[in-house]
Amino acid sequence: MKLRITAFLLLFVTTLSGLSAAEWKRNIYVNQDGTGDCKTITEALEMIRAYMDYTVTVHIANGVYKEKIVIPAWLHNVKFIGENMDSTIITYNHHANIDKMGTFRTYTMKVDACDATFENLTIENDAPRLGQAVALHTEGDRLIFRHCRFLGNQDTIFTAGNFSRVYFEDCYIEGTTDFIFGPATAYFKNCEIVGKANSFITAASTPKDVKYGYIFDGCKIKALDEVEKLYLGRPWRPYAYTVFIDCELPAQIVAEGWNNWSDPANELTSRYGEYGSTGPGANPAARVSWARQLTPEEVTEIRNLSNVFAVGSDWNPQE
């Protein structure tokens, strides 16, 4: 009798183990037509095991996904791969003046997770121009965005987290006022950045004790035809760090380049610079006296991503 009970228990445990192994997939397919594992990205998040030590890839088919998404902090090592950057669209329409929502709750996608990669996606906030409307809000560390579009108006991308690191490569970003803002260390490589109104591209709030903030390397800056004045940036907080390296600048970039946010004290602490700017907006001699032209040695150091992202721990998204 004992042997039979033991055999039964062994069979029961083995069955449960098999179910568990089948439940947690390493590839999850999202398709609105019902042919995948689920129809929404939010449903896919529920299919990922917390704190897993392996990589999960979420494959997202073309479609318009109207979802307000939070990728939670207990998910690590996840890749979100869209079928096509222009046709795999995640969109929502919250803005700051809906029920006193405020800027930081308006996101279409909020990423609290660490070690996450996003490719071939459009992340959009299509709210009307009635207030701040964030498309992407990042809080996590070691995040990578490649071949993604970020569409919105005011405050399109918010990179939060004082010691967080975010890498953007071959992305398209558009917006109006301060449409790339926050305290994180973020590197933008070969991105296309479009100003849609008279405004400021960046509003960094880099902490005093963080060496690097926003770095734009080999980016093409553009402005819509109706835009007359576009600033490279203004300091949301006193120690804002923003540099443009080998970037192409349109004629709408104002000669002075930078703005002190109506506070001359910011001129003593802000860390702003350029190197090798080209195009009609490149005018180093006319820039404000408190911004500087970088040296070749400084540029070499900045382009070593192991240096830039040496914040708390080593990380190089190109390795």
Side-chain angles (χ1 to χ4, degrees), residues 109-283:
M109 177 183 286
K110 183 182 180 186
V111 184
D112 290 329
C114 296
D115 299 301
T117 298
F118 303 80
E119 295 181 5
N120 304 328
L121 297 169
T122 289
I123 301 172
E124 173 189 53
N125 189 321
D126 68 347
R129 295 188 186 183
L130 297 174
Q132 296 90 334
V134 174
L136 173 69
H137 176 156
T138 66
E139 292 279 351
D141 188 24
R142 300 180 301 276
L143 304 178
I144 298 173
F145 296 87
R146 289 193 177 101
H147 305 109
C148 290
R149 293 195 306 163
F150 302 93
L151 309 182
N153 291 302
Q154 186 172 353
D155 295 358
T156 306
I157 292 179
F158 175 40
T159 60
N162 285 2
F163 299 96
S164 293
R165 295 161 289 183
V166 191
Y167 180 73
F168 298 86
E169 184 175 345
D170 296 327
C171 291
Y172 173 93
I173 304 165
E174 67 174 30
T176 62
T177 307
D178 304 329
F179 60 95
I180 302 172
F181 71 111
T185 297
Y187 202 106
F188 301 82
K189 178 69 173 176
N190 298 337
C191 293
E192 183 175 341
I193 297 164
V194 179
K196 298 167 62 177
N198 292 344
S199 58
F200 311 86
I201 297 171
T202 66
S205 56
T206 320
K208 180 180 180 179
D209 56 347
V210 173
K211 187 173 182 179
Y212 298 105
Y214 288 160
I215 297 165
F216 297 86
D217 183 359
C219 294
K220 182 173 288 189
I221 313 301
K222 296 182 177 180
L224 299 186
D225 290 342
E226 59 267 28
V227 175
E228 298 175 348
K229 293 183 178 182
L230 192 62
Y231 288 84
L232 297 174
R234 60 177 180 171
W236 185 23
R237 293 293 181 266
Y239 290 90
Y241 178 105
T242 304
V243 298
F244 289 78
I245 299 171
D246 290 342
C247 292
E248 182 179 327
L249 307 181
Q252 291 95 327
I253 297 294
V254 298
E256 58 268 34
W258 310 89
N259 180 278
N260 67 10
W261 207 314
S262 302
D263 186 355
N266 286 330
E267 299 177 10
L268 303 176
T269 53
S270 295
R271 297 171 283 172
Y272 286 152
E274 283 178 82
Y275 179 87
S277 295
T278 60
N283 194 350

Side-chain angles (χ1 to χ4, degrees), residues 187 212 215 241 245 294 298-304 308:
Y187 202 106
Y212 298 105
I215 297 165
Y241 178 105
I245 299 171
L294 303 173
E298 289 173 314
V299 170
T300 298
E301 182 179 350
I302 290 170
R303 280 182 161 156
N304 183 339
V308 170

Side-chain angles (χ1 to χ4, degrees), residues 92-114:
Y92 216 74
N93 57 1
H94 276 162
H95 62 78
N97 293 310
I98 296 176
D99 298 327
K100 299 180 180 179
M101 183 176 294
T103 302
F104 307 115
R105 298 184 184 89
T106 63
Y107 56 81
T108 294
M109 177 183 286
K110 183 182 180 186
V111 184
D112 290 329
C114 296

